[in-house]
């Protein structure tokens, strides 16, 4: 059982505490790989479009991005965390997600994603946790991730863990632990069921790629879809 965690902040604050509580029941029997942003993906996408048009390995930041992508593809469970910063995920998280834009379904989605499960943990002081989670969920669902669970918490007190009233800390811990235990009861030898909406997106893009391929059979994304057999009868889900 492999878990890959993408931490949207390097700070060992509240987001970190909540993530540690989530992982606690898995310690000892899961192989956990963690990335901390921006440390592990420190640069912005500059919009050169080399990943889209040619090859993701030619990106100036491929050394960072490909390490993260490999861990994401190998994991049974993906965990993404972020505090809300001005109603959104952290800039560091957004910068990392931009780098994986070429994995969105209209481009070259990875077939491994279609049976995968993910948990997104966000928290905020008063408002913005849900929109922060949506920033991450948008990418995951367009990557094709089959099951995405969101836990979004509101502090409504202090942004320092030790100053949060005990009752509130227990309440937040219990909510995280409940999701963690639920995810532990899953049989990871079976892929998650691909949602109807993901299939709709796939078929819409399949039509688009088929048309693009008629205009230019050498187009990078079309060639990828064709090589995978997706413009024919093959599907990325089981
Ligand atoms: C730059 C910045 C922007 C923030 N924006 C919001 C916000 O829009 N809404 C909110 O409720 N909390 C906001 N917060 C509070 C954070 O969401 C979070 O609760 C706090 O930073 C504690 O989390 P941490 O210890 O993991 O950093 C912001 C914090 C920072 C540093």
């Amino acid at each position: 059982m492999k878990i890959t965690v993408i931490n949207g902040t390097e700070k060992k604050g509240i987001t970190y505490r909540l993530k540690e509580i989530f992982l606690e029941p898995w310690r000892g029997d899961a192989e956990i790989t963690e990335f901390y942003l921006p440390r592990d993906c420190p640069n912005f996408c500059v919009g050169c479009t080399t990943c889209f048009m040619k090859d993701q390995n030619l990106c100036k930041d491929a050394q960072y991005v490909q390490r993260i992508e490999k861990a994401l593809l190998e994991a049974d469970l993906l965990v993404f965390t972020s505090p809300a910063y001005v109603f959104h995920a952290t800039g560091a998280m957004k910068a990392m997600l931009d780098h994986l834009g070429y994995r969105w379904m209209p481009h070259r989605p990875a077939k491994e994603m279609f049976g995968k499960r993910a948990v997104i943990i966000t928290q905020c002081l008063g408002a913005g946790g849900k929109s922060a989670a949506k920033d991450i969920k948008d990418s995951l669902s367009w990557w094709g991730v089959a099951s995405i669970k969101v836990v979004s918490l509101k502090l409504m007190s202090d942004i320092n863990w030790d100053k949060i009233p005990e009752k509130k800390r227990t309440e937040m811990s219990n909510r995280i632990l409940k999701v963690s235990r639920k995810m532990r009861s899953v049989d990871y030898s079976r892929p998650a069921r691909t949602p109807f909406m993901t299939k709709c997106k796939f078929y819409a893009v399949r039509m688009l790629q088929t048309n693009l391929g008629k205009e230019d059979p050498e187009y990078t994304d079309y060639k990828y879809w064709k090589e995978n057999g997706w413009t024919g009868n093959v599907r990325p889900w089981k």
Side-chain angles (χ1 to χ4, degrees):
M1 169 73 197
K2 288 185 178 182
I3 303 176
T4 293
V5 186
I6 310 289
N7 293 282
T9 172
E10 287 178 44
K11 187 175 153 187
K12 297 211 164 156
I14 291 169
T15 316
Y16 175 85
R17 296 272 190 150
L18 297 173
K19 180 266 304 181
E20 285 293 298
I21 293 165
F22 179 88
L23 291 179
E24 187 53 41
W26 307 81
R27 298 266 182 218
D29 58 23
E31 190 186 317
I32 302 169
T33 305
E34 292 204 59
F35 295 93
Y36 285 87
L37 302 174
R39 185 191 73 190
D40 295 319
C41 192
N43 305 319
F44 289 111
C45 164
V46 293
C48 70
T49 69
T50 302
C51 61
F52 293 123
M53 306 312 287
K54 292 183 187 155
D55 184 336
Q56 62 268 24
N57 294 302
L58 299 177
C59 170
K60 67 175 179 53
D61 296 316
Q63 66 188 95
Y64 303 109
V65 181
Q66 292 310 309
R67 236 184 99 223
I68 292 177
E69 186 182 275
K70 184 170 182 286
L72 292 175
L73 294 181
E74 286 174 359
D76 301 290
L77 176 64
L78 312 178
V79 179
F80 287 75
T81 76
S82 180
Y85 278 8
V86 291
F87 269 47
H88 290 279
T90 59
M93 177 63 85
K94 175 68 166 61
M96 195 281 293
L97 294 172
D98 287 348
H99 275 301
L100 288 169
Y102 71 94
R103 285 301 187 199
W104 275 47
M105 229 178 291
H107 299 286
R108 304 192 297 281
K111 59 177 176 295
E112 291 89 334
M113 287 297 179
F114 286 78
K116 245 184 238 305
R117 297 164 176 95
V119 174
I120 299 170
I121 300 170
T122 63
Q123 57 80 28
C124 63
L125 181 54
K130 285 196 175 144
S131 42
K134 185 178 178 295
D135 290 338
I136 300 168
K137 192 175 179 183
D138 282 343
S139 274
L140 269 55
S141 60
W142 279 102
W143 293 347
V145 174
S147 160
I148 308 168
K149 176 99 193 129
V150 172
V151 198
S152 185
L153 302 174
K154 286 182 190 192
L155 305 177
M156 302 298 273
S157 53
D158 201 286
I159 56 168
N160 181 330
W161 182 261
D162 296 322
K163 289 186 184 160
I164 297 174
E166 180 68 34
K167 189 169 170 244
K168 180 73 186 174
R169 281 198 311 231
T170 308
E171 185 193 307
M172 291 198 300
S173 303
N174 286 343
R175 263 194 70 190
I176 293 279
L177 273 173
K178 196 174 162 197
V179 178
S180 184
R181 291 197 188 110
K182 188 158 186 240
M183 294 312 293
R184 271 183 73 81
S185 68
V186 169
D187 175 4
Y188 288 89
S189 65
R190 289 165 182 251
R193 201 165 57 83
T194 303
F196 175 70
M197 271 313 289
T198 306
K199 291 185 181 178
C200 290
K201 286 176 187 165
F202 176 90
Y203 285 115
V205 177
R206 179 175 175 269
M207 207 153 48
L208 175 82
Q209 290 299 343
T210 306
N211 288 334
L212 287 170
K214 281 180 195 152
E215 283 168 32
D216 178 8
E218 288 307 304
Y219 180 57
T220 311
D221 293 349
Y222 167 72
K223 275 173 43 185
Y224 178 86
W225 274 70
K226 192 163 180 275
E227 276 159 23
N228 276 290
W230 297 342
T231 51
N233 294 327
V234 182
R235 299 291 172 263
W237 56 81
K238 292 197 175 107

